[in-house]
Amino acid sequence: MNPRSCVNIHKEWDIVGARQLGREMAKEIGFGTVDQARIATAVSELARNIYLYAKNGQVCFEYIYTNSQKGILMTAVDTGPGIKDISRVMQDGYTTSGGLGAGLPGVKRLMDEFDIESAAGEGTKIKAIKWIR
Amino acid sequence: MRIPILKLHNYLLISIQTEIDDQTAIKFQEDLLAKIHKTGATGVVIDLTSVDIIDSFIAKVLGDVVSMSDLMGARVVLTGIQPAVAMTLIDLGIHLQNVPTALDLEQGLVKLHQELGG
Amino acid sequence: MDANLKELMISNSDSIVDSWMDEVGRIKSGNYTASISDELYENTNREFVNVIFTSIQNQGSSKVVEEFSEKMINLGWPLSYITDGLQVFRRVTIEFLLKQADQVDSSHFSNVLTSVDEWIEPLIRQLVNEYSGSWENILSLQRVALQELSAPLIPVMEGITVMPLIGTIDTDRAKLIMENLLEGAIKHNSEVVLIDITGVPVVDTMVAHHIIQAAEAVRLIGSTCILVGIRPEIAQTIINIGIDLSKFPTRSSLKKGFTRALEITGRTVVDLPSKNQGIDEIMNALKGE
């Protein structure tokens, strides 16, 4: 009833695969083009983080429904080194990879709900939801 | 996969038509700089009309390409950024502050022509 | 049993109608229908009670009810008039039917109650549905209208587009504004987009932030954004709360902004000589006479 689709991330091209799946699922449930782009971009950021820092992980999508709204939930899970200081990675401009440092805080702004759990040495789990307006 | 770079007088024209992955982006950066070096082009237009995702990595590569080309004496204009892409970039907090933009390829060429005082 | 009761009720419709009219007439004073003339009120009551009877007689014929409710909605009669009227009808009918029986035991009593309920309930349901359906319809129309109003985009000239903003800007509206702005700029191929905030009552950090984001997105798609309609008090708040608008061209009025937009697109306004010439010619012609 509530299908869940996942993409395993272990090579660079998987990032593209993940964002294509994210965009398709967003389109199917009825997101507009702008929100499709937001979701696909958020997927891209999360998948890249997995590829860069954890090497191995998974990005999953599922539709969620409440009484008043519907949306898409994405979960990015990896078993990499984890994040020591979460508040720091949520700051704009903080980067360890030489990127723009827009990744995680950017994802938070792109999506409606954002939740991150991480422990050093145990990996990271990020959940993000976008509701249909 | 390689992104083709066309030469027109002093200008280089690039239209990105495919989904860009990180390798393609980096390869493109190298190719473009090599081409500027070889041709001595003074202006570059990169058309992004068909690109529907620019994430923070691609944005960084594009911003870098603009600054690097500037160093080599070639002015770069980005054209045809889609509304959805622009909004996503703003949400990400990426403003590409020093990158010149234009609505389409034609206006991009006009802009280069003006800036280069041609 | 059921059919008997119904026959009893219908054959005595006159006396039921009388006591119904009586009671409903009493409700009128001091409530929602107080401003309606007595004559119209009575006519409507008569029509209403006719509809009730026709509907019960025909086992819930929906056509009559539909027409009646449509009329009531168009004339703006409140739903409470309908529900009150039906409640009174229920009470009056039950009272009447119970009085007809020589002897009231509990089974007869419950029989009367169920029967009357069975007659009235489909009516209530249908009327309430018609009313709420019409409200929902109005609501969705208004929502669409509001959305269209909230971020209008006017292409005034080749390459120049104006978006006048009126009213408070919240996050949802800001998103809509940005989408309309960008899509419109591309659709009309606008080199310059003017955002007119004359009609925005308060510009706080939040609103300024949204406007700055919109202006930056406009720059990304390759167009230029000019912020116009900055009133003195807005200029004061913007500087006092420390918002940096220096990266964007701003103008105090739409007129000045438009002039700037013309400059950017390489144009200028020229007075045509013909107007003055026309007057000169007339003057000369007058002199000649």
Side-chain angles (χ1 to χ4, degrees):
Chain A
M1 177 193 144
N2 198 354
R4 182 180 155 100
S5 310
C6 296
V7 178
N8 291 317
I9 309 287
H10 41 81
K11 55 183 192 297
E12 209 181 319
W13 191 254
D14 293 332
I15 301 173
V16 177
R19 69 186 183 215
Q20 275 167 350
L21 178 68
R23 177 185 281 268
E24 249 161 58
M25 285 189 64
K27 189 175 178 181
E28 201 154 291
I29 196 180
F31 279 103
T33 48
V34 177
D35 280 340
Q36 284 174 34
R38 287 197 173 102
I39 292 164
T41 310
V43 175
S44 195
E45 301 293 339
L46 294 181
R48 174 167 293 104
N49 279 350
I50 293 177
Y51 172 74
L52 283 179
Y53 301 112
K55 306 296 174 218
N56 263 305
Q58 204 179 36
V59 179
C60 294
F61 305 94
E62 59 195 294
Y63 297 139
I64 47 171
Y65 302 90
T66 69
N67 290 334
S68 54
Q69 48 190 357
K70 57 180 177 174
I72 193 168
L73 162 70
M74 63 166 113
T75 321
V77 190
D78 67 59
T79 49
I83 299 167
K84 271 195 210 100
D85 187 349
I86 291 180
S87 64
R88 211 148 144 227
V89 299
M90 293 308 294
Q91 276 167 22
D92 268 315
Y94 175 76
T95 173
T96 55
S97 64
L100 287 171
L104 288 181
V107 172
K108 192 175 176 183
R109 277 193 296 267
L110 289 168
M111 305 292 282
D112 292 326
E113 281 170 41
F114 182 88
D115 182 48
I116 177 167
E117 282 169 34
S118 185
E122 282 172 30
T124 306
K125 182 177 185 180
I126 294 173
K127 280 185 171 185
I129 298 175
K130 186 87 187 162
W131 301 109
I132 292 186
R133 256 191 279 154
Chain B
M1 204 178 306
R2 260 201 151 98
I3 296 167
I5 301 171
L6 310 175
K7 179 177 172 296
L8 180 78
H9 299 295
N10 277 336
Y11 300 138
L12 297 178
L13 306 180
I14 299 105
S15 170
I16 298 179
Q17 302 280 352
T18 51
E19 179 110 16
I20 326 168
D21 69 314
D22 301 7
Q23 276 312 312
T24 316
I26 289 169
K27 189 81 198 132
F28 164 69
Q29 183 176 313
E30 285 167 10
D31 284 357
L32 179 61
L33 295 178
K35 195 93 172 185
I36 291 172
H37 182 69
K38 205 173 105 192
T39 60
T42 52
V44 179
V45 179
I46 303 178
D47 186 63
L48 301 166
T49 310
S50 327
V51 174
D52 45 24
I53 292 178
I54 296 181
D55 64 9
S56 65
F57 183 81
I58 310 282
K60 181 175 180 340
V61 172
L62 283 173
D64 287 353
V65 154
V66 174
S67 317
M68 290 167 184
S69 307
D70 244 2
L71 278 179
M72 296 181 63
R75 196 91 174 109
V76 183
V77 176
L78 300 185
T79 63
I81 295 181
Q82 292 300 303
V85 173
M87 276 180 252
T88 318
L89 286 175
I90 297 293
D91 280 348
L92 278 172
I94 298 168
H95 298 142
L96 294 173
Q97 213 70 260
N98 303 312
V99 180
T101 52
L103 280 174
D104 52 25
L105 186 61
E106 196 183 322
Q107 293 196 11
L109 284 171
V110 171
K111 189 158 192 167
L112 276 182
H113 199 66
Q114 283 168 353
E115 292 201 4
L116 297 173
Chain C
M1 278 296 268
D2 200 21
N4 283 344
L5 279 175
K6 198 171 193 171
E7 208 155 290
L8 186 62
M9 183 200 77
I10 286 166
S11 55
N12 289 292
S13 59
D14 285 350
S15 64
I16 293 183
V17 168
D18 280 348
S19 45
W20 185 80
M21 293 287 283
D22 232 35
E23 278 220 33
V24 171
R26 233 174 293 140
I27 306 181
K28 186 190 184 223
S29 51
N31 73 358
Y32 42 87
T33 44
S35 59
I36 293 166
S37 77
D38 287 344
E39 197 191 338
L40 175 63
Y41 191 67
E42 207 176 307
N43 285 343
T44 311
N45 284 345
R46 210 162 281 286
E47 195 183 340
F48 186 16
V49 83
N50 276 338
V51 169
I52 298 176
F53 268 103
T54 330
S55 161
I56 293 172
Q57 235 167 339
N58 305 343
Q59 310 250 341
S61 130
S62 56
K63 188 94 177 72
V64 197
V65 183
E66 210 180 295
E67 275 168 18
F68 176 69
S69 63
E70 198 174 304
K71 189 174 157 195
M72 298 301 278
I73 292 167
N74 284 338
L75 291 175
W77 286 70
L79 177 61
S80 48
Y81 166 76
I82 305 271
T83 51
D84 283 354
L86 285 168
Q87 289 301 343
V88 170
F89 187 84
R90 187 204 305 250
R91 202 165 55 237
V92 167
T93 314
I94 290 172
E95 225 166 74
F96 176 84
L97 289 176
L98 287 178
K99 264 187 209 153
Q100 300 306 302
D102 316 325
Q103 176 187 16
V104 178
D105 56 15
S106 63
S107 81
H108 180 70
F109 188 76
S110 78
N111 193 12
V112 168
L113 282 186
T114 346
S115 304
V116 174
D117 273 353
E118 266 170 26
W119 301 334
I120 302 284
E121 243 155 43
L123 259 173
I124 296 188
R125 203 170 306 131
Q126 200 191 343
L127 284 166
V128 169
N129 275 346
E130 297 276 340
Y131 262 84
S132 64
S134 115
W135 291 332
E136 277 159 22
N137 199 11
I138 290 171
L139 205 67
S140 71
L141 283 178
Q142 281 177 342
R143 187 171 298 140
V144 171
L146 203 65
Q147 244 178 23
E148 281 170 356
L149 277 176
S150 69
L153 201 70
I154 309 162
V156 285
M157 185 183 273
E158 187 97 345
I160 302 176
T161 303
V162 180
M163 178 179 270
L165 295 180
I166 291 166
T168 313
I169 298 171
D170 61 5
T171 312
D172 276 349
R173 192 172 165 208
K175 281 194 172 145
L176 197 73
I177 288 171
M178 205 196 277
E179 273 176 40
N180 280 10
L181 194 62
L182 298 186
E183 261 145 36
I186 296 227
K187 188 173 143 208
H188 304 298
N189 201 19
S190 307
E191 277 177 70
V192 184
V193 184
L194 297 148
I195 301 181
D196 183 7
I197 58 166
T198 313
V200 179
V202 180
V203 178
D204 56 10
T205 11
M206 197 65 196
V207 174
H209 174 76
H210 288 315
I211 293 175
I212 291 174
Q213 289 209 319
E216 277 180 335
V218 168
R219 199 190 65 81
L220 280 179
I221 62 162
S223 176
T224 306
C225 191
I226 303 178
L227 197 57
V228 302
I230 302 189
R231 287 172 277 130
E233 68 268 27
I234 288 185
Q236 280 170 330
T237 26
I238 287 176
I239 298 304
N240 284 340
I241 50 184
I243 299 166
D244 183 14
L245 279 177
S246 60
K247 279 173 288 177
F248 305 103
T250 50
R251 289 293 184 273
S252 58
S253 66
L254 181 58
K255 190 178 149 198
K256 287 184 179 154
F258 190 68
T259 315
R260 176 77 191 117
L262 287 174
E263 275 171 40
I264 294 176
T265 52
R267 284 176 284 205
T268 170
V269 178
V270 180
D271 283 326
L272 290 175
S274 62
K275 194 175 160 194
N276 287 331
Q277 237 173 35
I279 292 171
D280 285 347
E281 269 167 30
I282 292 169
M283 294 306 280
N284 285 337
L286 287 174
K287 269 180 206 159
E289 264 176 24

